[in-house]
Amino acid sequence: MTPAPTPPVHAALRGHIVTFRGNPFLMPPADALVEEADGLVVITNGRITHVGPYSETSTHLPPGTDVADYRGCLISAGFVDTHVHYPQLPMIAAYGEQLLEWLERYTFPTERRFADGDYAATIARTFLRELLRCGTTTAAVYCTVHPQSVDAFFTESTRLGTLMVAGKVLMDRNAPDFLRDTAQRGYDESRALIERWHGRNRQFYAVTPRFAPTSTPAQLELAGALLAQDETLFMQTHLAENRAEVAWVKELYPDSRSYLDVYDRAGLVRPRSVMGHGIYVDEQDLCRCHASGCALAHCPTSNLFLGSGAFRLFDVMDAKRPVRTGLGTDIGAGTSLSHLQSMNEAYKIAQMNGHRLHPVQAFWLATQGGAQALHLDGRIGTVAVGMDADLCILDPKATPLQALRTEMCDSTADLLFSLMMLGDDRSIRATYAGGTKVHDRDESATF
Ligand SMILES: [Zn+2]
């Protein structure tokens, strides 16, 4: 018997639509911005079918569709977090150390607990709820070395209908026994997880060697072998975050020209590869990233928290060889899951480097730029017809101070700037994943 076809599910949102038609680092920000002050987004079966001024677009509303009224708020594409560790959520705000000592002292003991699948499920659930409370609908996520940490994460993401990229960490040296796999075991476990999850129900797999110091050359080579089997797979790792780390990689891989070259030799530098940080890279590395389609994840709050260094955003985005770049919160080294806070700190880092990060550039990085970094810009990152309806609703008057500041705003760019400097999870009025509301700040409903 053929099942009865499911009727289409419609939704519609009314508010001030803000999105982008291009990269504002390569064109004037005012030209890159697309907005509709009284706009309507119509959604059918999780995809956007109509976008435009309310007066015209409301004629396309399917009969009986309720319009969620967000007038006074901005409708944006959901934020994209290009680098984050869900198991580190409980150890956010760990005092005192820089990268290598911080890993040893705080991270490894925390990640050990994810051998327990029930604990992993609890943290995965909390983490995804927190992400949605911050308006982030897609993230590239590190799990732990334990396959059950990946199962727990994708199970919860499937339940929520979010589009996520994640993978099991590969680590076969320079880590405690309880967190080590072997090159072969890491390969076999990753393969099984790929078969179980990759491309199913909006879940995508990322081959995830933690970073060059914790993988033997043999493990990096097998990671490359996994990627060579399927060009739709993602890859994520860390690159040149901290000076001591860079010096260590030079010792461990004396034959490689640079840190990036360690990964390149193993076949890990390619489209859908995301390198976390990339602070200490040279011109040749940036040219290689540009040519290969591999991306960098700029993690401002983490870089400041661990004292790692200042990412050279405007050099990375140089028009002669722009590198795909998104924003990463890098929890637990980052200090907030809110990309409004990532933008805030990115602005200050740019200032320290003598540049002005325009609010349109910042919001582009958090949405369309992040989607391009993941090569997912055909599906997410823009409010436009045909895109998945992954959206966040931003309230520019979430606190008394923001309401006061918003009264002073004389342009959309200024409104965006005040949001990125003063905003946080309180600024997210609601979040939608695949057209379904998955967070509502003002309702007590659990999702
Ligand atoms: Zn990280």
Side-chain angles (χ1 to χ4, degrees):
M1 216 172 82
T2 22
T6 4
V9 180
H10 302 291
L13 319 180
R14 183 179 187 178
H16 183 162
I17 299 166
V18 173
T19 189
F20 306 99
R21 65 166 63 85
N23 180 342
F25 289 89
L26 306 178
M27 66 200 285
D31 295 348
L33 180 69
V34 179
E35 63 174 322
E36 196 59 65
D38 183 13
L40 184 69
V41 180
V42 182
I43 299 161
T44 300
N45 289 335
R47 287 251 168 92
I48 298 172
T49 51
H50 298 89
V51 180
Y54 180 81
S55 55
E56 291 166 26
T57 313
S58 54
T59 59
H60 298 287
L61 275 174
T65 309
D66 281 336
V67 178
D69 190 348
Y70 294 119
R71 276 178 288 175
C73 293
L74 303 179
I75 301 176
S76 163
F79 296 139
V80 178
D81 187 341
T82 56
H83 183 106
V84 61
H85 304 251
Y86 97 82
Q88 295 177 15
L89 188 67
M91 50 153 290
I92 188 171
Y95 174 75
E97 308 292 356
Q98 293 215 346
L99 177 66
L100 300 176
E101 299 73 26
W102 176 86
L103 281 171
E104 204 71 45
R105 178 159 173 207
Y106 297 113
T107 310
F108 292 153
T110 303
E111 293 196 358
R112 181 179 201 173
R113 299 191 63 185
F114 288 74
D116 174 357
D118 291 339
Y119 181 72
T122 304
I123 301 300
R125 185 159 209 190
T126 308
F127 172 83
L128 279 161
R129 280 202 187 145
E130 283 297 312
L131 263 193
L132 296 169
R133 287 183 64 249
C134 292
T136 298
T137 47
T138 287
V141 180
Y142 289 64
C143 303
T144 65
V145 74
H146 317 96
Q148 54 270 42
S149 71
V150 183
D151 288 328
F153 181 77
F154 279 141
T155 298
E156 183 61 9
S157 176
T158 300
R159 192 186 70 77
L160 287 162
T162 43
L163 193 161
M164 291 287 156
V165 176
K168 171 201 128 73
V169 163
L170 300 168
M171 221 168 14
D172 68 344
R173 65 166 165 177
N174 293 321
D177 289 351
F178 54 79
L179 284 182
R180 247 185 272 159
D181 53 15
T182 64
Q184 189 60 45
R185 194 170 137 206
Y187 175 90
D188 293 341
E189 289 177 345
S190 300
R191 256 192 81 144
L193 288 164
I194 290 163
E195 269 162 39
R196 194 139 71 238
W197 294 107
H198 183 61
R200 299 211 177 145
N201 295 312
R202 310 191 86 208
Q203 313 312 315
F204 295 95
Y205 196 83
V207 176
T208 308
R210 173 170 233 121
F211 68 152
T214 48
S215 284
T216 57
Q219 181 161 66
L220 293 184
E221 228 156 85
L222 282 183
L226 278 169
L227 292 167
Q229 291 164 22
D230 182 350
E231 64 169 26
T232 68
L233 284 170
F234 291 77
M235 197 290 300
Q236 57 187 349
T237 189
H238 295 80
L239 172 74
E241 174 178 1
N242 162 296
R243 288 186 193 281
E245 169 215 10
V246 172
W248 192 18
V249 170
K250 219 180 168 81
E251 265 172 45
L252 292 170
Y253 293 88
D255 297 338
S256 289
R257 190 201 73 80
S258 69
Y259 196 157
L260 184 74
D261 188 47
V262 172
Y263 296 135
D264 209 358
R265 286 173 183 224
L268 308 185
V269 177
R270 54 177 233 154
R272 280 170 288 279
S273 290
V274 185
M275 306 284 167
H277 308 292
I279 294 171
Y280 303 102
V281 292
D282 63 16
E283 181 57 27
Q284 206 170 321
D285 293 332
L286 292 174
C287 288
R288 178 65 187 131
C289 288
H290 167 79
S292 64
C294 138
L296 297 179
H298 176 24
C299 306
T301 71
S302 166
N303 295 161
L304 293 170
F305 181 74
L306 290 180
S308 300
F311 184 77
R312 302 189 323 272
L313 177 60
F314 284 79
D315 187 13
V316 166
M317 298 303 282
D318 191 327
K320 67 178 190 292
R321 43 119 192 86
V323 175
R324 288 168 191 262
T325 303
L327 290 176
T329 61
D330 194 25
I331 297 301
T335 50
S336 172
L337 273 177
S338 169
H339 258 353
L340 295 170
Q341 284 302 300
S342 301
M343 292 184 232
N344 173 331
E345 302 299 338
Y347 178 81
K348 296 169 188 168
I349 292 172
Q351 282 279 44
M352 296 292 291
N353 283 339
H355 293 281
R356 279 186 223 173
L357 179 62
H358 192 282
V360 165
Q361 293 173 325
F363 273 82
W364 178 85
L365 281 173
T367 54
Q368 197 175 73
Q372 282 182 9
L374 299 174
H375 293 253
L376 287 170
D377 46 311
R379 283 188 74 167
I380 58 165
T382 310
V383 186
V385 170
M387 305 295 283
D388 293 3
D390 288 1
L391 303 164
C392 70
I393 312 299
L394 294 149
D395 176 1
K397 296 184 175 179
T399 68
L401 177 59
Q402 286 175 51
L404 180 73
R405 173 65 177 82
T406 295
E407 290 299 322
M408 301 288 291
C409 286
D410 55 3
S411 66
T412 301
D414 190 36
L415 188 63
L416 292 174
F417 190 63
S418 70
L419 264 168
M420 72 186 243
M421 297 316 294
L422 302 174
D424 52 34
D425 56 319
R426 293 169 296 181
S427 313
I428 307 301
R429 170 75 181 73
T431 307
Y432 289 76
T436 302
K437 188 157 71 173
V438 284
H439 164 65
D440 190 316
R441 185 194 62 192
D442 301 337
E443 277 177 21
S444 52
T446 39
F447 293 93

